[in-house]
Amino acid sequence: MLAALAAVSTAAPSLVPRGANATCSGYKVSQASETSCGLTASLELIGEPCNIYGVDIKTLVLQVDYETDNRLHVKLYDAAKHQFQIPDSLFPRPGGCLSASKANLKFSWEKCPFSFTVSRKSNNEILFSTKGYDLVFQNQYLQLSSSLPDNANIYGLGEVIAPLRRDPSNTTQTLWARDAGDPIDQNIYGTHPFYLEHRASTGNEGPRSHGVYLANGNGMDIFLQNNSITYKIIGGVFDFYFLGGYQTPQTVVTQYLDLIGKPVMMPYWSFGFHQCRWGYKNVSDLQFVVNQYKSHNIPLETMWSDIDYMDQYRDFTLDPVNFPPAEMKAFVDKLHANGQHYVPIVDAAIYKPSKNETYDVYTVGASKNPTTFMKNPDGSEYVGQVWPGYTVFPDWFSPSTSDWWTESMRNFTNRVNVDGIWLDMNEPSSFCIGSCGSGKSNPAVLPFALPGTPGNPVNTFPEGYNNQTARPPTTNYKRSEMRMLLMKRSEAQNGNFNVNYPPYAINNGEGNLAGHTVSLNATHYGDYIEYDVHNFWGYMETQQTYNTLLALNSSKRPFIIPRSTRPGSGKHAGHWLEFLYMYFSITGVLQFQLFGIPMVGPDTCGFNGNSDEELCNRWMQLSAFYPFYRNHNVLGALPQEAFRWPSVAEASRKAMAIRYSLLPYWYTLMEDASRTGNVVINPLFFEWPDDQSLFAADRQFLVGKAILVTPVLEPSATTVNGVFPGNGKTEKWYDWYTQKALGYGADKNVTLSAPLGHINVAIRGGYILPMQQPSYTVAESRKNPFELLIALSMNGTAQGNLYLDDGESVNPQGTSLINYTMANGKLTASGNFGYHETSKLDKITILGVDTRPSKVTLNGQKLQSWTYNNSALNISGLNGSMTESWTLVYQ
Ligand SMILES: *[C@@H]1O[C@H](CO)[C@@H](O)[C@H](O)[C@H]1NC(C)=O
Ligand SMILES: *[C@@H]1O[C@H](CO)[C@@H](O)[C@H](O)[C@H]1NC(C)=O
Ligand SMILES: *[C@@H]1O[C@H](CO)[C@@H](O)[C@H](O)[C@H]1NC(C)=O
Ligand SMILES: *[C@@H]1O[C@H](CO)[C@@H](O)[C@H](O)[C@H]1NC(C)=O
Ligand SMILES: *[C@@H]1O[C@H](CO)[C@@H](O)[C@H](O)[C@H]1NC(C)=O
Ligand SMILES: *[C@@H]1O[C@H](CO)[C@@H](O)[C@H](O)[C@H]1NC(C)=O
Ligand SMILES: *[C@@H]1O[C@H](CO)[C@@H](O)[C@H](O)[C@H]1NC(C)=O
Ligand SMILES: *[C@@H]1O[C@H](CO)[C@@H](O)[C@H](O)[C@H]1NC(C)=O
Ligand SMILES: *[C@@H]1O[C@H](CO)[C@@H](O)[C@H](O)[C@H]1NC(C)=O
């Protein structure tokens, strides 16, 4: 049975390594006892070791803890504790202890061979069961499977460029942080071994969702096939958290974030529009772009720099010719004077200077004891190669690294007063295999040409619109690479730990696990090997950068956008999606909502290749409805800022006016996410978990729960299809632009007019949207009078919230959380009013008012300034309070 599974894992029978035909018989429970929160047991290997991809571990410990009513922790580890386990510093576990009788989940097990089942007590529904599947626990290979229902609805398991709902019949998800932008269905930057499973109603029971988080950081393959999920992991232990969720998917996300940490609160300004590119070659280029946005009256909140600004691509430096310190200071000061912001990139690898050069960032780190850089197995410095030439890599486990990183960042920010940090290349990326710079010195001859340079042209047309059929080319390369690895491996098959070539080859898109990154045999302080902690590099850099920014300015919220993420990264940062496709930008944004990193968005208009007017027009409008809104592209590609084409400028102004008018709503959603774990962007099935037609819907999405976006994702289209769930039955939808109720049927997929420059946006009845008139910057917009847009539900009710604070403090002095509630023609504002808000409430628009009111009053006083048209009541000139409760009535 195992041979068959092994064949799947390596894709070709001829690649099955020696010993792989053996069957492994699993484990038996030799002793078990109940504890106050669950169970502990000893497991012994049955029969002879099968040593299929490593050495069988004979004695295991099972520990089961009911941590909360809906969280069950099941850990299976080697009794000797030689296997890597995620240290608390990388995953502070909340713990918890509940007696089994109080829990909603139930753990049951069989003695011989050992298997376990997690079920829901209320209905005996099985959520996860290893019964009937092999269990393998070896030093370099762990394998465990669970059955899944037919055609299971699985979400998560990323980072990946794939549809929102994962294909239950044929998915191979590899988790190994990798610098690769565009391969569909392969492993890329982040590693999130978490999935949500959603089940439709059966009988009279409603829909049910649950979640499974495997707290294992080693490289792994996760397979969905034959009604099962299978984990094949090259190290560590089995460390599962089962999250009971229940009738809504959101409950699962909330329980997951209770475990790994809720998203950090973002600064208010970060919801403005960001412009970036690789290839702004001097300060004048930056200033030109800022000026053009202004003269075209397209809001620009933040200017970004890619690696161009650095002196020869060295971190924390400025190019003395093109980005001289005085000019940069003047540029950033001017941005700040205009209420705008500046964010530069910081790369993962640190330039190693040659003897005749001065580069303190390296010298200071190297002179610390212990040093701040990663090492080779022999204790020498590990030297890879990235943009600047030969480079070293920060060792985040070293106790010296924190001070060194903060000192480096302080020196830099003393020269350039940045508003945030963009962390790139932190898988970490290295362009050669192994410590290729050992014994060599810079300047290195770089083994690549920059995009757009002779011999390395930028493709002429790039970004497929919605190319769902695009699959990575089936690479012969990968197979031959694997064959080579297996040959090498067989030399070391006698039970050794083979750090360089783990016997089981995960389906790393790069082939060799050391390809395009730091080698597995590189070491960290504390005897950690890269083999075990590779997937944490980006997380640790982000965590340190968060602490560093706080150390430099304890009053301002750090704003960090990293590329490589792990469960828990959202506690410190957001993320951007560095890849091609416009359709997959939706699924990427939705995926990261599940991972607790809601501040996310793509390289708008596309990163690689030359964008064009139509694509950029559509994408600038679409991204205006993502939490993180940034335009960015590659060196050498044609410029794609919003002002480059009149039609794109116009489309961008339109969409940005909507976005900026909704800034109070966006910020309220962010605060809610940070406090409660609610997602910011909802997949449709989150809100209609009982509607099976929506389980795979990922071409539309909801901003919060109230705004439905239906973007065009195909070229040359003038219409788009979309659904309006429940319309006319349980829900009422209004068009954003006309403010009229939409007449489409509840279960219809309708064709909407969508000429270029128009993005379909609908408002959901039952919601109250807090708004402000948009101005050029976020700060100016924030000073304008408030408005409420109220979309009444079918029964005339609506509800909404508004969160207010100073927009940037880590611990704001005063905060307001205002509840707006409407029913039977009566609207009340109540709640906490701790923030001293100086703007007034100027205007209220109520949609869905069936008959013309005869009278409108605020706190009992009759109002004169209102109109009624097309079922909309518009009340203006209110001068209403934002600091105390009030009641408005129309009759
Ligand atoms: C494993 O089985 C395959 C066919 O199932 C066979 O071709 C191969 O020789 C076997 N390998 C070993 C080492 O027994
Ligand atoms: C499964 O997916 C892989 C690549 O994603 C593809 O090559 C293969 O043909 C698929 N298998 C089936 C049975 O669809
Ligand atoms: C340092 O020496 C190398 C050759 O060893 C030379 O190419 C480089 O220009 C020198 N750099 C400085 C700053 O003198
Ligand atoms: C920071 O700047 C000071 C003063 O120039 C310098 O002595 C120190 O080496 C710098 N530290 C780093 C890490 O670059
Ligand atoms: C979609 O991608 C496939 C594979 O990369 C390619 O052959 C095809 O031409 C693309 N289709 C479109 C419409 O771009
Ligand atoms: C470490 O791994 C690299 C390949 O990633 C290899 O070239 C090198 O020889 C290894 N070093 C040792 C000491 O095993
Ligand atoms: C609506 O129709 C479009 C076009 O056929 C399709 O792509 C989309 O998935 C459909 N939406 C839903 C929710 O079924
Ligand atoms: C009105 O409808 C909403 C949503 O459908 C529901 O939650 C609420 O209970 C209803 N209120 C009344 C008064 O019927
Ligand atoms: C606001 O209303 C919600 C229900 O919509 C309620 O849970 C919450 O406690 C209220 N908050 C305040 C501050 O009144």
Side-chain angles (χ1 to χ4, degrees), residues 653-671:
R653 280 189 293 264
K654 261 176 78 176
M656 285 186 193
I658 301 175
R659 181 184 181 89
Y660 279 53
S661 70
L662 286 167
L663 285 170
Y665 178 63
W666 278 108
Y667 194 60
T668 301
L669 292 174
M670 181 70 234
E671 191 277 335

mmCIF file with all atom_site columns, all heavy atoms in Angstrom, residues 653-671:
data_model
loop_
_atom_site.group_PDB
_atom_site.id
_atom_site.type_symbol
_atom_site.label_atom_id
_atom_site.label_alt_id
_atom_site.label_comp_id
_atom_site.label_asym_id
_atom_site.label_entity_id
_atom_site.label_seq_id
_atom_site.pdbx_PDB_ins_code
_atom_site.Cartn_x
_atom_site.Cartn_y
_atom_site.Cartn_z
_atom_site.occupancy
_atom_site.B_iso_or_equiv
_atom_site.pdbx_formal_charge
_atom_site.auth_seq_id
_atom_site.auth_comp_id
_atom_site.auth_asym_id
_atom_site.auth_atom_id
_atom_site.pdbx_PDB_model_num
ATOM 1   N N   . ARG A 1 653 ? -9.400  57.367 -10.990 1.00 0.00 ? 653 ARG A N   1
ATOM 2   C CA  . ARG A 1 653 ? -10.044 58.428 -10.186 1.00 0.00 ? 653 ARG A CA  1
ATOM 3   C C   . ARG A 1 653 ? -11.419 57.978 -9.708  1.00 0.00 ? 653 ARG A C   1
ATOM 4   O O   . ARG A 1 653 ? -11.798 58.202 -8.553  1.00 0.00 ? 653 ARG A O   1
ATOM 5   C CB  . ARG A 1 653 ? -10.168 59.719 -11.019 1.00 0.00 ? 653 ARG A CB  1
ATOM 6   C CG  . ARG A 1 653 ? -8.891  60.537 -11.088 1.00 0.00 ? 653 ARG A CG  1
ATOM 7   C CD  . ARG A 1 653 ? -9.123  61.909 -11.735 1.00 0.00 ? 653 ARG A CD  1
ATOM 8   N NE  . ARG A 1 653 ? -9.455  61.794 -13.141 1.00 0.00 ? 653 ARG A NE  1
ATOM 9   C CZ  . ARG A 1 653 ? -8.565  61.915 -14.142 1.00 0.00 ? 653 ARG A CZ  1
ATOM 10  N NH1 . ARG A 1 653 ? -7.299  62.205 -13.892 1.00 0.00 ? 653 ARG A NH1 1
ATOM 11  N NH2 . ARG A 1 653 ? -8.947  61.778 -15.389 1.00 0.00 ? 653 ARG A NH2 1
ATOM 12  N N   . LYS A 1 654 ? -12.168 57.333 -10.613 1.00 0.00 ? 654 LYS A N   1
ATOM 13  C CA  . LYS A 1 654 ? -13.517 56.875 -10.241 1.00 0.00 ? 654 LYS A CA  1
ATOM 14  C C   . LYS A 1 654 ? -13.477 55.862 -9.097  1.00 0.00 ? 654 LYS A C   1
ATOM 15  O O   . LYS A 1 654 ? -14.194 55.985 -8.110  1.00 0.00 ? 654 LYS A O   1
ATOM 16  C CB  . LYS A 1 654 ? -14.184 56.198 -11.458 1.00 0.00 ? 654 LYS A CB  1
ATOM 17  C CG  . LYS A 1 654 ? -15.139 57.097 -12.210 1.00 0.00 ? 654 LYS A CG  1
ATOM 18  C CD  . LYS A 1 654 ? -15.690 56.397 -13.439 1.00 0.00 ? 654 LYS A CD  1
ATOM 19  C CE  . LYS A 1 654 ? -16.801 55.397 -13.130 1.00 0.00 ? 654 LYS A CE  1
ATOM 20  N NZ  . LYS A 1 654 ? -17.370 54.821 -14.399 1.00 0.00 ? 654 LYS A NZ  1
ATOM 21  N N   . ALA A 1 655 ? -12.600 54.841 -9.267  1.00 0.00 ? 655 ALA A N   1
ATOM 22  C CA  . ALA A 1 655 ? -12.560 53.781 -8.253  1.00 0.00 ? 655 ALA A CA  1
ATOM 23  C C   . ALA A 1 655 ? -11.968 54.306 -6.948  1.00 0.00 ? 655 ALA A C   1
ATOM 24  O O   . ALA A 1 655 ? -12.398 53.933 -5.854  1.00 0.00 ? 655 ALA A O   1
ATOM 25  C CB  . ALA A 1 655 ? -11.748 52.594 -8.772  1.00 0.00 ? 655 ALA A CB  1
ATOM 26  N N   . MET A 1 656 ? -10.965 55.175 -7.067  1.00 0.00 ? 656 MET A N   1
ATOM 27  C CA  . MET A 1 656 ? -10.348 55.712 -5.847  1.00 0.00 ? 656 MET A CA  1
ATOM 28  C C   . MET A 1 656 ? -11.317 56.608 -5.089  1.00 0.00 ? 656 MET A C   1
ATOM 29  O O   . MET A 1 656 ? -11.272 56.666 -3.857  1.00 0.00 ? 656 MET A O   1
ATOM 30  C CB  . MET A 1 656 ? -9.092  56.500 -6.196  1.00 0.00 ? 656 MET A CB  1
ATOM 31  C CG  . MET A 1 656 ? -7.919  55.608 -6.570  1.00 0.00 ? 656 MET A CG  1
ATOM 32  S SD  . MET A 1 656 ? -6.471  56.654 -6.778  1.00 0.00 ? 656 MET A SD  1
ATOM 33  C CE  . MET A 1 656 ? -5.367  55.516 -7.579  1.00 0.00 ? 656 MET A CE  1
ATOM 34  N N   . ALA A 1 657 ? -12.189 57.303 -5.824  1.00 0.00 ? 657 ALA A N   1
ATOM 35  C CA  . ALA A 1 657 ? -13.171 58.150 -5.130  1.00 0.00 ? 657 ALA A CA  1
ATOM 36  C C   . ALA A 1 657 ? -14.067 57.275 -4.256  1.00 0.00 ? 657 ALA A C   1
ATOM 37  O O   . ALA A 1 657 ? -14.415 57.642 -3.132  1.00 0.00 ? 657 ALA A O   1
ATOM 38  C CB  . ALA A 1 657 ? -13.992 58.942 -6.143  1.00 0.00 ? 657 ALA A CB  1
ATOM 39  N N   . ILE A 1 658 ? -14.407 56.084 -4.775  1.00 0.00 ? 658 ILE A N   1
ATOM 40  C CA  . ILE A 1 658 ? -15.224 55.167 -3.972  1.00 0.00 ? 658 ILE A CA  1
ATOM 41  C C   . ILE A 1 658 ? -14.405 54.685 -2.768  1.00 0.00 ? 658 ILE A C   1
ATOM 42  O O   . ILE A 1 658 ? -14.853 54.726 -1.622  1.00 0.00 ? 658 ILE A O   1
ATOM 43  C CB  . ILE A 1 658 ? -15.687 53.955 -4.808  1.00 0.00 ? 658 ILE A CB  1
ATOM 44  C CG1 . ILE A 1 658 ? -16.499 54.418 -6.012  1.00 0.00 ? 658 ILE A CG1 1
ATOM 45  C CG2 . ILE A 1 658 ? -16.485 52.987 -3.935  1.00 0.00 ? 658 ILE A CG2 1
ATOM 46  C CD1 . ILE A 1 658 ? -16.891 53.289 -6.954  1.00 0.00 ? 658 ILE A CD1 1
ATOM 47  N N   . ARG A 1 659 ? -13.174 54.246 -3.046  1.00 0.00 ? 659 ARG A N   1
ATOM 48  C CA  . ARG A 1 659 ? -12.327 53.719 -1.964  1.00 0.00 ? 659 ARG A CA  1
ATOM 49  C C   . ARG A 1 659 ? -12.128 54.767 -0.874  1.00 0.00 ? 659 ARG A C   1
ATOM 50  O O   . ARG A 1 659 ? -12.303 54.482 0.311   1.00 0.00 ? 659 ARG A O   1
ATOM 51  C CB  . ARG A 1 659 ? -10.972 53.307 -2.517  1.00 0.00 ? 659 ARG A CB  1
ATOM 52  C CG  . ARG A 1 659 ? -10.062 52.738 -1.423  1.00 0.00 ? 659 ARG A CG  1
ATOM 53  C CD  . ARG A 1 659 ? -8.683  52.418 -1.975  1.00 0.00 ? 659 ARG A CD  1
ATOM 54  N NE  . ARG A 1 659 ? -7.805  51.857 -0.956  1.00 0.00 ? 659 ARG A NE  1
ATOM 55  C CZ  . ARG A 1 659 ? -7.689  50.565 -0.667  1.00 0.00 ? 659 ARG A CZ  1
ATOM 56  N NH1 . ARG A 1 659 ? -8.418  49.683 -1.322  1.00 0.00 ? 659 ARG A NH1 1
ATOM 57  N NH2 . ARG A 1 659 ? -6.862  50.143 0.257   1.00 0.00 ? 659 ARG A NH2 1
ATOM 58  N N   . TYR A 1 660 ? -11.760 55.968 -1.278  1.00 0.00 ? 660 TYR A N   1
ATOM 59  C CA  . TYR A 1 660 ? -11.445 56.988 -0.272  1.00 0.00 ? 660 TYR A CA  1
ATOM 60  C C   . TYR A 1 660 ? -12.704 57.436 0.485   1.00 0.00 ? 660 TYR A C   1
ATOM 61  O O   . TYR A 1 660 ? -12.628 57.764 1.665   1.00 0.00 ? 660 TYR A O   1
ATOM 62  C CB  . TYR A 1 660 ? -10.717 58.185 -0.905  1.00 0.00 ? 660 TYR A CB  1
ATOM 63  C CG  . TYR A 1 660 ? -9.226  57.945 -1.115  1.00 0.00 ? 660 TYR A CG  1
ATOM 64  C CD1 . TYR A 1 660 ? -8.773  56.815 -1.797  1.00 0.00 ? 660 TYR A CD1 1
ATOM 65  C CD2 . TYR A 1 660 ? -8.267  58.833 -0.632  1.00 0.00 ? 660 TYR A CD2 1
ATOM 66  C CE1 . TYR A 1 660 ? -7.423  56.584 -1.993  1.00 0.00 ? 660 TYR A CE1 1
ATOM 67  C CE2 . TYR A 1 660 ? -6.903  58.614 -0.823  1.00 0.00 ? 660 TYR A CE2 1
ATOM 68  C CZ  . TYR A 1 660 ? -6.487  57.485 -1.508  1.00 0.00 ? 660 TYR A CZ  1
ATOM 69  O OH  . TYR A 1 660 ? -5.149  57.259 -1.690  1.00 0.00 ? 660 TYR A OH  1
ATOM 70  N N   . SER A 1 661 ? -13.848 57.416 -0.195  1.00 0.00 ? 661 SER A N   1
ATOM 71  C CA  . SER A 1 661 ? -15.065 57.790 0.538   1.00 0.00 ? 661 SER A CA  1
ATOM 72  C C   . SER A 1 661 ? -15.394 56.725 1.584   1.00 0.00 ? 661 SER A C   1
ATOM 73  O O   . SER A 1 661 ? -16.041 57.011 2.590   1.00 0.00 ? 661 SER A O   1
ATOM 74  C CB  . SER A 1 661 ? -16.240 57.997 -0.430  1.00 0.00 ? 661 SER A CB  1
ATOM 75  O OG  . SER A 1 661 ? -16.657 56.762 -0.972  1.00 0.00 ? 661 SER A OG  1
ATOM 76  N N   . LEU A 1 662 ? -14.907 55.505 1.342   1.00 0.00 ? 662 LEU A N   1
ATOM 77  C CA  . LEU A 1 662 ? -15.176 54.402 2.276   1.00 0.00 ? 662 LEU A CA  1
ATOM 78  C C   . LEU A 1 662 ? -14.055 54.177 3.277   1.00 0.00 ? 662 LEU A C   1
ATOM 79  O O   . LEU A 1 662 ? -14.067 53.177 4.003   1.00 0.00 ? 662 LEU A O   1
ATOM 80  C CB  . LEU A 1 662 ? -15.421 53.107 1.487   1.00 0.00 ? 662 LEU A CB  1
ATOM 81  C CG  . LEU A 1 662 ? -16.764 53.013 0.763   1.00 0.00 ? 662 LEU A CG  1
ATOM 82  C CD1 . LEU A 1 662 ? -16.766 51.845 -0.225  1.00 0.00 ? 662 LEU A CD1 1
ATOM 83  C CD2 . LEU A 1 662 ? -17.905 52.853 1.770   1.00 0.00 ? 662 LEU A CD2 1
ATOM 84  N N   . LEU A 1 663 ? -13.082 55.070 3.350   1.00 0.00 ? 663 LEU A N   1
ATOM 85  C CA  . LEU A 1 663 ? -11.965 54.850 4.288   1.00 0.00 ? 663 LEU A CA  1
ATOM 86  C C   . LEU A 1 663 ? -12.426 54.588 5.723   1.00 0.00 ? 663 LEU A C   1
ATOM 87  O O   . LEU A 1 663 ? -11.879 53.701 6.387   1.00 0.00 ? 663 LEU A O   1
ATOM 88  C CB  . LEU A 1 663 ? -10.982 56.027 4.233   1.00 0.00 ? 663 LEU A CB  1
ATOM 89  C CG  . LEU A 1 663 ? -10.065 56.057 2.991   1.00 0.00 ? 663 LEU A CG  1
ATOM 90  C CD1 . LEU A 1 663 ? -9.314  57.390 2.923   1.00 0.00 ? 663 LEU A CD1 1
ATOM 91  C CD2 . LEU A 1 663 ? -9.098  54.886 2.976   1.00 0.00 ? 663 LEU A CD2 1
ATOM 92  N N   . PRO A 1 664 ? -13.440 55.320 6.233   1.00 0.00 ? 664 PRO A N   1
ATOM 93  C CA  . PRO A 1 664 ? -13.893 55.001 7.599   1.00 0.00 ? 664 PRO A CA  1
ATOM 94  C C   . PRO A 1 664 ? -14.404 53.562 7.718   1.00 0.00 ? 664 PRO A C   1
ATOM 95  O O   . PRO A 1 664 ? -14.224 52.911 8.752   1.00 0.00 ? 664 PRO A O   1
ATOM 96  C CB  . PRO A 1 664 ? -15.024 56.005 7.833   1.00 0.00 ? 664 PRO A CB  1
ATOM 97  C CG  . PRO A 1 664 ? -14.709 57.149 6.915   1.00 0.00 ? 664 PRO A CG  1
ATOM 98  C CD  . PRO A 1 664 ? -14.122 56.509 5.691   1.00 0.00 ? 664 PRO A CD  1
ATOM 99  N N   . TYR A 1 665 ? -15.022 53.067 6.653   1.00 0.00 ? 665 TYR A N   1
ATOM 100 C CA  . TYR A 1 665 ? -15.508 51.676 6.639   1.00 0.00 ? 665 TYR A CA  1
ATOM 101 C C   . TYR A 1 665 ? -14.327 50.702 6.624   1.00 0.00 ? 665 TYR A C   1
ATOM 102 O O   . TYR A 1 665 ? -14.276 49.737 7.398   1.00 0.00 ? 665 TYR A O   1
ATOM 103 C CB  . TYR A 1 665 ? -16.408 51.490 5.417   1.00 0.00 ? 665 TYR A CB  1
ATOM 104 C CG  . TYR A 1 665 ? -16.961 50.099 5.218   1.00 0.00 ? 665 TYR A CG  1
ATOM 105 C CD1 . TYR A 1 665 ? -17.804 49.508 6.146   1.00 0.00 ? 665 TYR A CD1 1
ATOM 106 C CD2 . TYR A 1 665 ? -16.660 49.371 4.053   1.00 0.00 ? 665 TYR A CD2 1
ATOM 107 C CE1 . TYR A 1 665 ? -18.324 48.232 5.941   1.00 0.00 ? 665 TYR A CE1 1
ATOM 108 C CE2 . TYR A 1 665 ? -17.176 48.102 3.836   1.00 0.00 ? 665 TYR A CE2 1
ATOM 109 C CZ  . TYR A 1 665 ? -18.004 47.531 4.779   1.00 0.00 ? 665 TYR A CZ  1
ATOM 110 O OH  . TYR A 1 665 ? -18.530 46.275 4.563   1.00 0.00 ? 665 TYR A OH  1
ATOM 111 N N   . TRP A 1 666 ? -13.354 50.944 5.726   1.00 0.00 ? 666 TRP A N   1
ATOM 112 C CA  . TRP A 1 666 ? -12.159 50.083 5.660   1.00 0.00 ? 666 TRP A CA  1
ATOM 113 C C   . TRP A 1 666 ? -11.463 50.005 7.027   1.00 0.00 ? 666 TRP A C   1
ATOM 114 O O   . TRP A 1 666 ? -11.065 48.928 7.481   1.00 0.00 ? 666 TRP A O   1
ATOM 115 C CB  . TRP A 1 666 ? -11.147 50.649 4.655   1.00 0.00 ? 666 TRP A CB  1
ATOM 116 C CG  . TRP A 1 666 ? -11.402 50.306 3.223   1.00 0.00 ? 666 TRP A CG  1
ATOM 117 C CD1 . TRP A 1 666 ? -11.839 51.150 2.244   1.00 0.00 ? 666 TRP A CD1 1
ATOM 118 C CD2 . TRP A 1 666 ? -11.205 49.036 2.582   1.00 0.00 ? 666 TRP A CD2 1
ATOM 119 N NE1 . TRP A 1 666 ? -11.932 50.479 1.039   1.00 0.00 ? 666 TRP A NE1 1
ATOM 120 C CE2 . TRP A 1 666 ? -11.547 49.183 1.228   1.00 0.00 ? 666 TRP A CE2 1
ATOM 121 C CE3 . TRP A 1 666 ? -10.783 47.779 3.040   1.00 0.00 ? 666 TRP A CE3 1
ATOM 122 C CZ2 . TRP A 1 666 ? -11.472 48.123 0.315   1.00 0.00 ? 666 TRP A CZ2 1
ATOM 123 C CZ3 . TRP A 1 666 ? -10.710 46.727 2.130   1.00 0.00 ? 666 TRP A CZ3 1
ATOM 124 C CH2 . TRP A 1 666 ? -11.058 46.913 0.780   1.00 0.00 ? 666 TRP A CH2 1
ATOM 125 N N   . TYR A 1 667 ? -11.308 51.154 7.621   1.00 0.00 ? 667 TYR A N   1
ATOM 126 C CA  . TYR A 1 667 ? -10.569 51.201 8.895   1.00 0.00 ? 667 TYR A CA  1
ATOM 127 C C   . TYR A 1 667 ? -11.340 50.486 10.002  1.00 0.00 ? 667 TYR A C   1
ATOM 128 O O   . TYR A 1 667 ? -10.763 49.798 10.842  1.00 0.00 ? 667 TYR A O   1
ATOM 129 C CB  . TYR A 1 667 ? -10.333 52.668 9.259   1.00 0.00 ? 667 TYR A CB  1
ATOM 130 C CG  . TYR A 1 667 ? -9.305  52.880 10.342  1.00 0.00 ? 667 TYR A CG  1
ATOM 131 C CD1 . TYR A 1 667 ? -8.001  52.458 10.175  1.00 0.00 ? 667 TYR A CD1 1
ATOM 132 C CD2 . TYR A 1 667 ? -9.639  53.539 11.522  1.00 0.00 ? 667 TYR A CD2 1
ATOM 133 C CE1 . TYR A 1 667 ? -7.040  52.676 11.167  1.00 0.00 ? 667 TYR A CE1 1
ATOM 134 C CE2 . TYR A 1 667 ? -8.696  53.770 12.517  1.00 0.00 ? 667 TYR A CE2 1
ATOM 135 C CZ  . TYR A 1 667 ? -7.398  53.331 12.330  1.00 0.00 ? 667 TYR A CZ  1
ATOM 136 O OH  . TYR A 1 667 ? -6.455  53.556 13.300  1.00 0.00 ? 667 TYR A OH  1
ATOM 137 N N   . THR A 1 668 ? -12.645 50.623 9.962   1.00 0.00 ? 668 THR A N   1
ATOM 138 C CA  . THR A 1 668 ? -13.485 49.922 10.938  1.00 0.00 ? 668 THR A CA  1
ATOM 139 C C   . THR A 1 668 ? -13.380 48.409 10.742  1.00 0.00 ? 668 THR A C   1
ATOM 140 O O   . THR A 1 668 ? -13.288 47.647 11.713  1.00 0.00 ? 668 THR A O   1
ATOM 141 C CB  . THR A 1 668 ? -14.946 50.399 10.808  1.00 0.00 ? 668 THR A CB  1
ATOM 142 O OG1 . THR A 1 668 ? -14.984 51.815 11.038  1.00 0.00 ? 668 THR A OG1 1
ATOM 143 C CG2 . THR A 1 668 ? -15.868 49.702 11.784  1.00 0.00 ? 668 THR A CG2 1
ATOM 144 N N   . LEU A 1 669 ? -13.326 47.974 9.478   1.00 0.00 ? 669 LEU A N   1
ATOM 145 C CA  . LEU A 1 669 ? -13.157 46.538 9.203   1.00 0.00 ? 669 LEU A CA  1
ATOM 146 C C   . LEU A 1 669 ? -11.811 46.044 9.723   1.00 0.00 ? 669 LEU A C   1
ATOM 147 O O   . LEU A 1 669 ? -11.707 44.952 10.280  1.00 0.00 ? 669 LEU A O   1
ATOM 148 C CB  . LEU A 1 669 ? -13.230 46.274 7.693   1.00 0.00 ? 669 LEU A CB  1
ATOM 149 C CG  . LEU A 1 669 ? -14.579 46.473 7.002   1.00 0.00 ? 669 LEU A CG  1
ATOM 150 C CD1 . LEU A 1 669 ? -14.427 46.305 5.495   1.00 0.00 ? 669 LEU A CD1 1
ATOM 151 C CD2 . LEU A 1 669 ? -15.613 45.481 7.538   1.00 0.00 ? 669 LEU A CD2 1
ATOM 152 N N   . MET A 1 670 ? -10.772 46.877 9.539   1.00 0.00 ? 670 MET A N   1
ATOM 153 C CA  . MET A 1 670 ? -9.429  46.483 9.985   1.00 0.00 ? 670 MET A CA  1
ATOM 154 C C   . MET A 1 670 ? -9.392  46.345 11.499  1.00 0.00 ? 670 MET A C   1
ATOM 155 O O   . MET A 1 670 ? -8.836  45.384 12.035  1.00 0.00 ? 670 MET A O   1
ATOM 156 C CB  . MET A 1 670 ? -8.418  47.529 9.514   1.00 0.00 ? 670 MET A CB  1
ATOM 157 C CG  . MET A 1 670 ? -6.986  47.224 9.882   1.00 0.00 ? 670 MET A CG  1
ATOM 158 S SD  . MET A 1 670 ? -6.304  45.825 8.956   1.00 0.00 ? 670 MET A SD  1
ATOM 159 C CE  . MET A 1 670 ? -5.718  44.789 10.285  1.00 0.00 ? 670 MET A CE  1
ATOM 160 N N   . GLU A 1 671 ? -9.993  47.308 12.182  1.00 0.00 ? 671 GLU A N   1
ATOM 161 C CA  . GLU A 1 671 ? -9.986  47.258 13.655  1.00 0.00 ? 671 GLU A CA  1
ATOM 162 C C   . GLU A 1 671 ? -10.760 46.032 14.144  1.00 0.00 ? 671 GLU A C   1
ATOM 163 O O   . GLU A 1 671 ? -10.335 45.344 15.078  1.00 0.00 ? 671 GLU A O   1
ATOM 164 C CB  . GLU A 1 671 ? -10.599 48.551 14.210  1.00 0.00 ? 671 GLU A CB  1
ATOM 165 C CG  . GLU A 1 671 ? -10.405 48.722 15.698  1.00 0.00 ? 671 GLU A CG  1
ATOM 166 C CD  . GLU A 1 671 ? -11.426 47.993 16.566  1.00 0.00 ? 671 GLU A CD  1
ATOM 167 O OE1 . GLU A 1 671 ? -12.559 47.736 16.085  1.00 0.00 ? 671 GLU A OE1 1
ATOM 168 O OE2 . GLU A 1 671 ? -11.102 47.689 17.730  1.00 0.00 ? 671 GLU A OE2 1
#
